[in-house]
Amino acid sequence: MRIIFLGTSAAVPTVDRSLSSIAVDVGREYALIDAGEGTQKQIMLSGLGFGKLSRIIITHLHGDHYFGVFPLLQTMSILGRSRPLDIIAPTGFSLVYKALKEITPTLTSYDVRITEVNGESEFRFSNCTIKMFPVDHGNTPTYGISIKEDDKPGKFDPEKSDKLGVPVELRGILQRGIPIKLPDGRIVRPEDVMGPPRKGAKVVFSSDTRPCDSLRREAEEADLLIHEATYDDDKKERAEKTGHSTLSEAIEVGVTSKARKIVLTHFSARYKKEDLERMEARIKEKYNNVIFARDLMVLDL
Amino acid sequence: MRIIFLGTSAAVPTVDRSLSSIAVDVGREYALIDAGEGTQKQIMLSGLGFGKLSRIIITHLHGDHYFGVFPLLQTMSILGRSRPLDIIAPTGFSLVYKALKEITPTLTSYDVRITEVNGESEFRFSNCTIKMFPVDHGNTPTYGISIKEDDKPGKFDPEKSDKLGVPVELRGILQRGIPIKLPDGRIVRPEDVMGPPRKGAKVVFSSDTRPCDSLRREAEEADLLIHEATYDDDKKERAEKTGHSTLSEAIEVGVTSKARKIVLTHFSARYKKEDLERMEARIKEKYNNVIFARDLMVLDL
């Protein structure tokens, strides 16, 4: 699974940070989590292309998290897309989509299948299960996102396989999880020649939120927690008032949930490039598993 | 009057061209003509600031001409705008605005006064009269824009004024167009001491269109005709089919209407920077009053 940070600025874009959007690329297809204004341009710059985009997930209906959906839909239409696109968004999204489609019929040349969520929900995406769970962003229904890759089969052990007399041409069947019968009548089961299943990666994204228990629970031993950190620690009051988190609050969530890596994102536009570099250096003195997202940063899991 | 080209790409943004938007800056305030995605970022880069923006005019409801309005509204709301904003757009725009305002109530913290137009219309903007007139962009109701600055008073002639015995402290009254009575009873009228009125500038913008007579009429002796030129001449068929103009077609409109200067814009994203430079060089061999717009280009009239 590859995570690409397309936009890392909160509320307002800056010269070097675009608005919220994260791509989750699983190879054959990718999903976007949020799509603030400018997302299509970031997709162009990232090299992802538009063809593999199969799903857009909107965490909440603040403009900086979804106003980039419509220009993106329009561009794919202009480029001749015919493949359907799934959009999963909080209740209300369809109202805007329908209004736009009415006044701008060229918006989409392809089927847009909108699922509106109003509470916890779970769906499949390629070899992953994606869960949307409520977080704490004031009055606006907002969902954190957990992405759990399926466990992968254990490692095939050619030595064990040979010892049991499995012909080389039958190894693949066992690797696909199917038992085989040898010419002499003996049954060989996959677990006889494979190591223990390997855990799939777990990635959790906070969306916009105060630190909250639902997030701590979901992020339990995550390989990667992506947490918003709109404000530096001196702006805690402002964070509380606006339903956001400070640097230290975001890190606390990651530490208590034992997330292996913590990526902070969604920085207020008040922080210039140098401010963020200074903040990151300060954090790195204390934590070696925390990094600050920047636009077009790529993480492989 | 200052014209700033904020975005000059057609339909889809490119790495160095943002989507359609032109700022008309008259000093105390400015208007935007169209606002494709990314317009707020272009405003930031242009140095215009958000405070002086008083009006947004949308020429037609294709996404690349108006999807940037909503993120821009949102940003001004976040920045604490309280001053009302006028939006003039083709019928249908309110439907989308209302839907967005319903699902994202934070969209605007200030009054947005929407005027929907469905046919020719005319309104005042500072010392200008702006006219929206139908052009020919296929099935989509689309308006060209003519901006006519009020004529300015003629030049004050201090020699004539002295000859007539006008005291220096009374010159300003004549300059403001008001006759004065001298101590000896003689009346001096403004035209006695001022040259002939100077014509205000006229700027005409085609929006997206095939070459058409309404445009030729409006552009008659314009100081500046801004005409779309989506395609190079070898794509005339495509221009016809999509309701756009080629380079030569756009120039023909400017030449027949005797526009003093012609700026071409709204280039298809298929043309790279080098292609456009080549096209411009070719055109410049024949016409010395034609220039190609680029993002953030400034013209003073």
Side-chain angles (χ1 to χ4, degrees), chain A residues 51-285:
Chain A
K52 284 199 325 175
L53 173 61
S54 63
R55 193 172 301 228
I56 301 174
I57 303 162
I58 304 298
T59 63
H60 64 300
L61 296 176
H62 280 165
D64 56 318
H65 289 253
Y66 81 97
F67 284 171
V69 170
F70 312 113
L72 172 58
L73 294 183
Q74 171 92 78
T75 288
M76 291 192 292
S77 189
I78 290 167
L79 297 179
R81 183 184 179 110
S82 58
R83 182 181 173 193
L85 182 83
D86 288 296
I87 298 181
I88 298 148
T91 304
F93 184 86
S94 295
L95 184 77
V96 166
Y97 179 76
K98 274 183 207 150
L100 278 165
K101 183 80 185 162
E102 189 174 327
I103 73 164
T104 304
T106 54
L107 177 63
T108 43
S109 57
Y110 46 92
D111 203 15
V112 172
R113 304 180 293 210
I114 297 172
T115 304
E116 293 194 328
V117 297
N118 186 18
E120 193 167 297
S121 72
E122 203 175 275
F123 48 88
R124 292 287 295 170
F125 171 66
S126 190
N127 62 333
C128 300
T129 298
I130 296 185
K131 185 171 166 182
M132 296 174 76
F133 57 93
V135 291
D136 176 18
H137 188 37
N139 294 327
T140 306
T142 302
Y143 299 94
I145 308 283
S146 137
I147 306 162
K148 178 84 190 64
E149 209 179 10
D150 295 340
D151 290 344
K152 290 168 229 167
K155 241 184 153 173
F156 183 79
D157 186 334
E159 224 166 278
K160 274 190 188 171
S161 176
D162 286 350
K163 229 179 194 167
L164 290 168
V166 176
V168 173
E169 63 273 21
L170 295 186
R171 283 179 176 184
I173 299 176
L174 288 163
Q175 283 172 311
R176 268 175 277 134
I178 304 161
I180 56 167
K181 194 175 187 173
L182 298 180
D184 62 11
R186 276 181 305 134
I187 303 287
V188 181
R189 284 155 311 173
E191 53 269 37
D192 298 333
V193 294
M194 314 270 288
R198 289 167 292 176
K199 271 195 99 105
K202 181 160 98 169
V203 176
V204 175
F205 171 50
S206 69
S207 183
D208 288 10
T209 187
R210 294 285 306 142
C212 63
D213 282 340
S214 62
L215 198 51
R216 287 187 193 94
R217 208 159 41 235
E218 292 295 337
E220 189 73 35
E221 297 193 1
D223 297 284
L224 173 62
L225 170 65
I226 304 164
H227 202 296
E228 73 120 295
T230 311
Y231 297 108
D232 200 351
D233 294 340
D234 61 335
K235 293 269 178 298
K236 187 170 174 183
E237 218 171 295
R238 179 137 190 87
E240 281 168 352
K241 210 177 135 193
T242 55
H244 288 294
S245 302
T246 64
L247 292 182
S248 292
E249 286 174 334
I251 293 170
E252 176 275 325
V253 172
V255 169
T256 53
S257 59
K258 301 192 193 79
R260 264 175 279 287
K261 191 175 227 162
I262 303 166
V263 172
L264 304 179
T265 187
H266 195 268
F267 305 108
S268 164
R270 75 180 61 208
Y271 302 118
K272 308 276 157 275
K273 201 164 175 270
E274 308 76 60
D275 299 326
L276 289 167
E277 280 165 4
R278 225 173 8 248
M279 285 150 73
E280 188 173 16
R282 196 183 80 215
I283 295 298
K284 276 197 182 303
E285 278 175 21

Side-chain angles (χ1 to χ4, degrees), chain B residues 5 7-9 22 205 226-230 263-267 293:
Chain B
F5 295 83
T8 61
S9 187
I22 296 172
F205 171 50
I226 304 164
H227 201 297
E228 73 121 296
T230 311
V263 173
L264 304 180
T265 187
H266 195 269
F267 304 108

Side-chain angles (χ1 to χ4, degrees), chain B residues 107-148:
Chain B
L107 177 63
T108 43
S109 57
Y110 46 92
D111 202 15
V112 173
R113 305 180 291 212
I114 298 172
T115 304
E116 292 194 328
V117 297
N118 186 17
E120 193 167 296
S121 72
E122 203 175 276
F123 48 88
R124 293 286 296 170
F125 171 66
S126 191
N127 62 333
C128 300
T129 298
I130 296 186
K131 186 171 166 182
M132 296 174 77
F133 57 94
V135 291
D136 175 18
H137 189 36
N139 294 326
T140 306
T142 302
Y143 299 95
I145 308 283
S146 137
I147 305 163
K148 178 84 190 62

Side-chain angles (χ1 to χ4, degrees), chain B residues 225 248-259 262 287 289-290:
Chain B
L225 170 65
S248 291
E249 286 174 334
I251 293 170
E252 176 274 325
V253 172
V255 168
T256 54
S257 59
K258 300 192 194 77
I262 303 166
Y287 302 96
N289 64 337
V290 178

